[in-house]
Amino acid sequence: MLATTETKTPQYWLDMADKIAAKIGAAAAAHDRDGSFVAENYDLLREAGLIGAAVPVELGGDGLDYRTLCGVVRRLGKSCGSTALAFSMHCHQVAVAAWRWQHMQAPTDALLRRVAAENLVLVSSGGSDWLQGSGSATKVEGGFLINARKIFSSGCQAGHILMTSAVYDDPEAGPSVLHFGLPFSAEGVTILDTWDTMGMRGTGSHDVELKDVFLADAAVSGRRPQGKWHPLFHIISMIAFPLIYSAYLGVAEGARDAAIEAAQRKPANPALIALAGELQNSFWTAETAVASMIATAETASPGPETTNLAMIGRTVAGRAAIRTAELAIELAGGSAFYKGSPIERAFRDVQGARFHPLQEPAQKELSGRLALGLDIDG
């Protein structure tokens, strides 16, 4: 499945994503039914070289460009939303580390080299942490003891390093969030069997328990004040959310395509035609919002205004993807109401778009504060 470096054009990667999507689509219903992790799909991603593809060439990767990486996630999402969403969590950790290395000369090169050389899968706990962080870091000789329970750890069953954080009550600086990576093989790290949800059932987004896990001082990659916007989170907002919502766009696209195919087998009538048109409108909105987010990530500088654009895009794309799936059910008719229908599964999967930060009320507050010239930290 691998090719020489000379043939790995953007189209090569998109074609590779289509090939993988064709293979994983058949098993998507079984993973959904059983709530089982899409482990074999990670094997395909690994064999295709996609785990480390976005690592810069200088660090041993293929230098896969950001726009194409989003396109890969979207194409996977058309067939299996769980694979696309879980993989997007790894992708954004790699993409953020690569951006920081390229634009800030941040010391993320060692991690990126390992991702490329060892096919390391990075797992994010950002959805359960965000600005507040979660868990505790207690100072001990030479480092900290970490105790936490990290929810929504997508892809953890295939993961090698948990990219996470914990709160240290610094006697001088006050509550501070420490950022670090922990090997899943470390003593005290346990994956708990908790993921039993309405949709995205194959992502394996179980809780990860950290119980008295030792973290050396040297392993702390960054620290910041708790609950405040920090430059790191402006970078994450700019880079991560176009990738994550590319997964939901792919899910919506799969639902739309299946609904159009079903509708074409019916006698045309004005109501059916109008419904198909409304479906197209909703999908266009989702597609356009994600495209805008990608363009911003490619060209903007991280900061409050860029984060605002990313988060507005996240809300608009999520709403439109959900509405696309709703309309797909209506257009396809009763057949889409049955378990086993890819449209029914897509309808449940796409609901996950509601839950990533910033959720819509918090996004509106951020946008409103910026519009009124108020402090975004309140």
Side-chain angles (χ1 to χ4, degrees):
M1 191 177 285
L2 294 175
T4 62
T5 302
E6 290 74 22
T7 65
K8 291 182 181 178
T9 62
Q11 190 59 51
Y12 164 82
W13 291 112
L14 295 175
D15 290 344
M16 181 62 69
D18 284 337
K19 291 176 183 177
I20 294 173
K23 291 182 178 180
I24 67 179
H31 284 295
D32 175 69
R33 182 183 63 248
D34 302 336
S36 55
F37 178 56
V38 291
E40 71 277 14
N41 298 349
Y42 270 76
D43 292 337
L44 294 173
L45 295 171
R46 192 174 292 108
E47 291 169 12
L50 278 164
I51 299 299
V55 173
V57 172
E58 302 94 316
L59 302 180
D62 290 293
L64 174 59
D65 70 278
Y66 181 78
R67 177 176 292 272
T68 304
L69 185 62
C70 291
V72 166
V73 170
R74 172 179 173 175
R75 290 177 184 224
L76 296 175
K78 287 182 64 176
S79 290
C80 181
S82 290
T83 300
L85 183 60
F87 183 53
S88 77
M89 298 302 171
H90 164 80
C91 289
H92 83 66
Q93 289 289 341
V94 174
V96 166
W99 193 95
R100 293 180 64 214
W101 180 76
Q102 291 168 326
H103 295 271
M104 302 173 66
Q105 293 75 55
T108 60
D109 50 314
L111 175 66
L112 290 167
R113 287 184 190 278
R114 289 195 64 197
V115 169
E118 302 172 40
N119 268 327
L120 290 186
V121 173
L122 307 182
V123 174
S124 170
S125 71
S128 62
D129 288 325
W130 205 239
L131 299 183
Q132 285 297 116
S134 68
S136 65
T138 304
K139 194 73 182 80
V140 295
E141 185 177 355
F144 300 86
L145 287 182
I146 308 298
N147 285 278
R149 182 162 172 163
K150 301 296 184 176
I151 63 174
F152 302 135
S153 299
S154 299
C156 60
Q157 290 164 292
H160 297 97
I161 300 178
L162 178 66
M163 307 298 288
T164 190
S165 64
V167 182
Y168 170 51
D169 193 6
D170 192 313
E172 296 181 1
S176 302
V177 181
L178 310 182
H179 288 264
F180 49 88
L182 285 176
F184 276 90
S185 60
E187 184 177 356
V189 178
T190 306
I191 296 173
L192 305 177
D193 187 5
T194 54
W195 188 246
D196 187 11
T197 52
M198 178 174 74
M200 291 295 184
R201 289 172 52 77
T203 59
S205 304
H206 299 287
D207 294 5
V208 177
E209 183 181 61
L210 309 177
K211 190 171 183 179
D212 289 334
V213 180
F214 179 73
L215 176 73
D217 286 324
V220 176
S221 60
R223 62 175 66 203
R224 60 181 174 83
Q226 184 184 28
K228 303 292 185 182
W229 280 98
H230 182 272
L232 174 63
F233 274 77
H234 291 307
I235 299 170
I236 292 170
S237 298
M238 181 177 77
I239 298 293
F241 289 95
L243 281 160
I244 294 168
Y245 281 79
S246 289
Y248 290 108
L249 178 62
V251 172
E253 186 172 13
R256 182 204 63 171
D257 291 355
I260 293 292
E261 183 180 347
Q264 287 173 333
R265 297 193 292 267
K266 301 178 181 182
N269 61 71
L272 187 78
I273 293 168
L275 193 57
E278 187 179 356
L279 174 68
Q280 291 292 83
N281 288 354
S282 289
F283 181 72
W284 181 90
T285 303
E287 188 175 43
T288 302
V290 171
S292 177
M293 294 165 74
I294 293 170
T296 297
E298 288 180 315
T299 60
S301 297
E305 291 295 343
T306 298
T307 293
N308 187 38
L309 292 176
M311 292 303 174
I312 290 172
R314 166 242 175 269
T315 293
V316 173
R319 278 185 187 171
I322 290 169
R323 182 59 179 152
T324 297
E326 291 174 347
L327 290 165
I329 286 181
E330 292 184 39
L331 182 63
S335 63
F337 195 60
Y338 282 83
K339 286 286 186 181
S341 163
I343 301 173
E344 185 269 346
R345 184 174 73 251
F347 173 81
R348 288 183 288 105
D349 282 349
V350 81
Q351 303 304 319
R354 302 176 186 272
F355 303 114
H356 301 275
L358 294 176
Q359 292 184 39
E360 188 168 339
Q363 175 267 306
K364 288 179 178 177
E365 181 180 0
L366 172 68
S367 296
R369 284 185 170 279
L370 282 169
L372 297 173
L374 301 175
D375 183 353
I376 62 172
D377 285 320

